Amino acid sequence: MPQKISSAEWEVMNVVWEKQSLTAAEVFEALPKGHGWKQKTVNTFLTRLVDKGVLAADKQEKAYVYTARVAREKSVRIEGDSFLQRVFRGATGDLMLHFCENAELSADEIRELELLLKKKKARK
């Protein structure tokens, strides 16, 4: 199971998940502007992510090419479960109520939530 990744590491991973296979320089260039990081900082994040087992680093010609070893969906699930336990003490209903009450939801998102809840209710 992959280790927890920091907020900054999530930024780097989002680039890798989107682009799939990049060098450190390509990751740096693809990051949102304004983060204030230097290339060396990004290299450190990449090394940490490799050490955590989230990224693979393959030497190709003169540079390492980084690819995700863990799917974004799995990382989101792990982070979500951790958040649920840490903040809501595992109370899924409380989490859902909090976000439904406080989030701006589009009509489509509301319909999707209603469908999910109807399916959930039908299974009980």
Side-chain angles (χ1 to χ4, degrees), residues 1-5 10 17 69-86 92 95:
M1 178 193 265
Q3 295 181 31
K4 186 170 170 40
I5 59 178
W10 268 96
W17 282 318
R69 294 186 68 205
V70 178
R72 185 177 198 289
E73 294 75 21
K74 183 172 183 176
S75 292
V76 167
R77 188 172 53 251
I78 290 166
E79 186 70 23
D81 290 346
S82 172
F83 176 78
L84 176 63
Q85 290 303 318
R86 249 186 3 264
T92 305
L95 173 131

Short mmCIF file of all heavy atoms in Angstrom, two decimals, residues 1-5 10 17 69-86 92 95:
data_model
loop_
_atom_site.label_atom_id
_atom_site.label_comp_id
_atom_site.label_asym_id
_atom_site.label_seq_id
_atom_site.Cartn_x
_atom_site.Cartn_y
_atom_site.Cartn_z
N MET A 1 0.85 -1.18 0.00
CA MET A 1 0.00 0.00 0.00
C MET A 1 0.89 1.24 0.00
O MET A 1 1.80 1.36 0.80
CB MET A 1 -0.89 0.01 1.24
CG MET A 1 -1.75 1.25 1.29
SD MET A 1 -2.55 1.51 2.86
CE MET A 1 -4.10 0.76 2.59
N PRO A 2 0.62 2.20 -0.90
CA PRO A 2 1.45 3.40 -0.96
C PRO A 2 1.30 4.25 0.29
O PRO A 2 0.28 4.23 0.96
CB PRO A 2 0.93 4.16 -2.19
CG PRO A 2 -0.40 3.57 -2.50
CD PRO A 2 -0.44 2.21 -1.90
N GLN A 3 2.37 4.99 0.58
CA GLN A 3 2.35 5.88 1.72
C GLN A 3 1.55 7.14 1.39
O GLN A 3 1.35 7.48 0.24
CB GLN A 3 3.77 6.27 2.10
CG GLN A 3 4.61 5.11 2.57
CD GLN A 3 6.00 5.58 2.96
OE1 GLN A 3 6.19 6.70 3.40
NE2 GLN A 3 6.97 4.71 2.77
N LYS A 4 1.16 7.84 2.45
CA LYS A 4 0.45 9.11 2.30
C LYS A 4 1.36 10.12 1.61
O LYS A 4 2.55 10.16 1.85
CB LYS A 4 0.06 9.60 3.69
CG LYS A 4 -0.81 10.82 3.70
CD LYS A 4 -1.32 11.04 5.10
CE LYS A 4 -2.01 12.35 5.30
NZ LYS A 4 -2.86 12.81 4.27
N ILE A 5 0.78 10.91 0.73
CA ILE A 5 1.56 11.93 0.04
C ILE A 5 1.11 13.32 0.47
O ILE A 5 -0.06 13.54 0.78
CB ILE A 5 1.52 11.77 -1.50
CG1 ILE A 5 0.11 11.83 -2.06
CG2 ILE A 5 2.18 10.44 -1.90
CD1 ILE A 5 0.03 11.71 -3.58
N TRP A 10 1.02 15.95 -4.14
CA TRP A 10 -0.20 15.80 -4.94
C TRP A 10 -0.12 16.66 -6.20
O TRP A 10 -0.55 16.24 -7.28
CB TRP A 10 -1.44 16.21 -4.13
CG TRP A 10 -2.08 15.06 -3.41
CD1 TRP A 10 -1.87 14.71 -2.11
CD2 TRP A 10 -3.00 14.11 -3.93
NE1 TRP A 10 -2.61 13.59 -1.81
CE2 TRP A 10 -3.31 13.21 -2.90
CE3 TRP A 10 -3.60 13.94 -5.18
CZ2 TRP A 10 -4.20 12.14 -3.07
CZ3 TRP A 10 -4.48 12.88 -5.34
CH2 TRP A 10 -4.77 11.99 -4.31
N TRP A 17 -0.07 12.03 -13.44
CA TRP A 17 -1.28 11.30 -13.81
C TRP A 17 -1.87 11.83 -15.11
O TRP A 17 -2.36 11.07 -15.93
CB TRP A 17 -2.32 11.37 -12.70
CG TRP A 17 -2.05 10.45 -11.54
CD1 TRP A 17 -1.63 9.15 -11.60
CD2 TRP A 17 -2.19 10.75 -10.15
NE1 TRP A 17 -1.50 8.63 -10.34
CE2 TRP A 17 -1.84 9.59 -9.42
CE3 TRP A 17 -2.57 11.88 -9.45
CZ2 TRP A 17 -1.88 9.52 -8.04
CZ3 TRP A 17 -2.60 11.82 -8.07
CH2 TRP A 17 -2.26 10.65 -7.37
N ARG A 69 3.02 4.63 -10.47
CA ARG A 69 2.91 3.22 -10.10
C ARG A 69 1.57 2.95 -9.42
O ARG A 69 1.19 1.80 -9.26
CB ARG A 69 4.04 2.82 -9.16
CG ARG A 69 5.40 2.87 -9.83
CD ARG A 69 6.49 2.33 -8.95
NE ARG A 69 6.29 0.89 -8.79
CZ ARG A 69 6.74 0.20 -7.75
NH1 ARG A 69 7.41 0.80 -6.79
NH2 ARG A 69 6.53 -1.09 -7.67
N VAL A 70 0.90 4.02 -9.03
CA VAL A 70 -0.39 3.92 -8.34
C VAL A 70 -1.39 4.77 -9.11
O VAL A 70 -1.11 5.93 -9.43
CB VAL A 70 -0.27 4.41 -6.88
CG1 VAL A 70 -1.61 4.36 -6.18
CG2 VAL A 70 0.76 3.58 -6.12
N ALA A 71 -2.55 4.22 -9.40
CA ALA A 71 -3.59 4.96 -10.11
C ALA A 71 -4.11 6.11 -9.24
O ALA A 71 -4.14 6.01 -8.00
CB ALA A 71 -4.75 4.03 -10.47
N ARG A 72 -4.49 7.18 -9.90
CA ARG A 72 -5.02 8.35 -9.18
C ARG A 72 -6.21 7.94 -8.30
O ARG A 72 -6.34 8.38 -7.16
CB ARG A 72 -5.43 9.44 -10.17
CG ARG A 72 -5.87 10.72 -9.49
CD ARG A 72 -6.20 11.82 -10.49
NE ARG A 72 -6.22 13.11 -9.86
CZ ARG A 72 -7.14 13.53 -9.00
NH1 ARG A 72 -8.13 12.73 -8.65
NH2 ARG A 72 -7.08 14.72 -8.45
N GLU A 73 -7.08 7.11 -8.85
CA GLU A 73 -8.28 6.69 -8.13
C GLU A 73 -7.93 6.00 -6.80
O GLU A 73 -8.59 6.21 -5.79
CB GLU A 73 -9.14 5.76 -9.00
CG GLU A 73 -9.72 6.43 -10.23
CD GLU A 73 -8.70 6.67 -11.35
OE1 GLU A 73 -7.63 6.01 -11.39
OE2 GLU A 73 -8.96 7.57 -12.18
N LYS A 74 -6.88 5.18 -6.81
CA LYS A 74 -6.46 4.49 -5.58
C LYS A 74 -5.93 5.50 -4.57
O LYS A 74 -6.24 5.42 -3.38
CB LYS A 74 -5.41 3.43 -5.89
CG LYS A 74 -5.00 2.65 -4.65
CD LYS A 74 -4.09 1.49 -4.98
CE LYS A 74 -3.78 0.70 -3.73
NZ LYS A 74 -2.99 -0.49 -4.00
N SER A 75 -5.14 6.45 -5.03
CA SER A 75 -4.61 7.48 -4.13
C SER A 75 -5.73 8.34 -3.55
O SER A 75 -5.70 8.69 -2.37
CB SER A 75 -3.59 8.36 -4.85
OG SER A 75 -2.44 7.61 -5.15
N VAL A 76 -6.72 8.67 -4.37
CA VAL A 76 -7.87 9.45 -3.90
C VAL A 76 -8.63 8.65 -2.84
O VAL A 76 -9.02 9.19 -1.80
CB VAL A 76 -8.80 9.84 -5.07
CG1 VAL A 76 -10.14 10.37 -4.57
CG2 VAL A 76 -8.12 10.88 -5.96
N ARG A 77 -8.80 7.36 -3.09
CA ARG A 77 -9.52 6.51 -2.12
C ARG A 77 -8.76 6.45 -0.79
O ARG A 77 -9.36 6.59 0.28
CB ARG A 77 -9.71 5.10 -2.70
CG ARG A 77 -10.61 4.22 -1.87
CD ARG A 77 -10.96 2.89 -2.55
NE ARG A 77 -9.80 2.15 -3.02
CZ ARG A 77 -9.47 1.99 -4.31
NH1 ARG A 77 -10.21 2.53 -5.25
NH2 ARG A 77 -8.41 1.30 -4.65
N ILE A 78 -7.44 6.27 -0.85
CA ILE A 78 -6.63 6.21 0.37
C ILE A 78 -6.70 7.54 1.11
O ILE A 78 -6.90 7.58 2.33
CB ILE A 78 -5.17 5.85 0.03
CG1 ILE A 78 -5.10 4.39 -0.44
CG2 ILE A 78 -4.24 6.09 1.22
CD1 ILE A 78 -3.79 4.02 -1.10
N GLU A 79 -6.53 8.65 0.38
CA GLU A 79 -6.58 9.97 1.00
C GLU A 79 -7.96 10.25 1.58
O GLU A 79 -8.11 10.81 2.67
CB GLU A 79 -6.20 11.04 -0.01
CG GLU A 79 -6.09 12.42 0.56
CD GLU A 79 -4.88 12.61 1.48
OE1 GLU A 79 -3.91 11.86 1.36
OE2 GLU A 79 -4.94 13.52 2.31
N GLY A 80 -9.00 9.85 0.83
CA GLY A 80 -10.38 10.05 1.30
C GLY A 80 -10.66 9.28 2.59
O GLY A 80 -11.26 9.80 3.52
N ASP A 81 -10.20 8.02 2.63
CA ASP A 81 -10.40 7.22 3.83
C ASP A 81 -9.66 7.82 5.03
O ASP A 81 -10.19 7.87 6.14
CB ASP A 81 -9.91 5.78 3.60
CG ASP A 81 -10.79 5.00 2.64
OD1 ASP A 81 -11.92 5.46 2.34
OD2 ASP A 81 -10.35 3.93 2.17
N SER A 82 -8.44 8.30 4.79
CA SER A 82 -7.65 8.93 5.85
C SER A 82 -8.36 10.19 6.35
O SER A 82 -8.47 10.41 7.56
CB SER A 82 -6.26 9.27 5.32
OG SER A 82 -5.55 10.03 6.26
N PHE A 83 -8.83 11.01 5.42
CA PHE A 83 -9.54 12.24 5.78
C PHE A 83 -10.81 11.92 6.58
O PHE A 83 -11.09 12.54 7.62
CB PHE A 83 -9.90 13.02 4.51
CG PHE A 83 -10.70 14.25 4.75
CD1 PHE A 83 -10.10 15.41 5.22
CD2 PHE A 83 -12.07 14.26 4.51
CE1 PHE A 83 -10.84 16.56 5.45
CE2 PHE A 83 -12.81 15.40 4.75
CZ PHE A 83 -12.20 16.55 5.21
N LEU A 84 -11.55 10.94 6.12
CA LEU A 84 -12.78 10.55 6.81
C LEU A 84 -12.49 10.13 8.25
O LEU A 84 -13.19 10.56 9.18
CB LEU A 84 -13.47 9.39 6.05
CG LEU A 84 -14.72 8.80 6.67
CD1 LEU A 84 -15.83 9.85 6.76
CD2 LEU A 84 -15.18 7.60 5.86
N GLN A 85 -11.45 9.34 8.45
CA GLN A 85 -11.10 8.90 9.80
C GLN A 85 -10.58 10.04 10.67
O GLN A 85 -10.98 10.18 11.82
CB GLN A 85 -10.05 7.78 9.74
CG GLN A 85 -10.58 6.47 9.19
CD GLN A 85 -11.78 5.94 9.96
OE1 GLN A 85 -11.81 5.97 11.19
NE2 GLN A 85 -12.78 5.47 9.24
N ARG A 86 -9.71 10.87 10.08
CA ARG A 86 -9.08 11.96 10.83
C ARG A 86 -10.08 13.04 11.24
O ARG A 86 -10.10 13.48 12.38
CB ARG A 86 -8.00 12.62 9.95
CG ARG A 86 -6.62 12.42 10.37
CD ARG A 86 -5.59 13.20 9.55
NE ARG A 86 -6.02 14.10 8.52
CZ ARG A 86 -6.09 13.80 7.21
NH1 ARG A 86 -5.76 12.61 6.77
NH2 ARG A 86 -6.47 14.69 6.33
N THR A 92 -19.31 8.58 7.85
CA THR A 92 -19.52 8.92 6.44
C THR A 92 -20.71 9.85 6.25
O THR A 92 -20.66 10.80 5.47
CB THR A 92 -19.72 7.64 5.60
OG1 THR A 92 -18.61 6.77 5.83
CG2 THR A 92 -19.83 7.95 4.13
N LEU A 95 -19.83 13.38 7.01
CA LEU A 95 -19.01 13.94 5.93
C LEU A 95 -19.90 14.36 4.75
O LEU A 95 -19.77 15.47 4.24
CB LEU A 95 -17.97 12.92 5.46
CG LEU A 95 -17.18 13.32 4.23
CD1 LEU A 95 -15.69 13.12 4.47
CD2 LEU A 95 -17.61 12.51 3.04
#
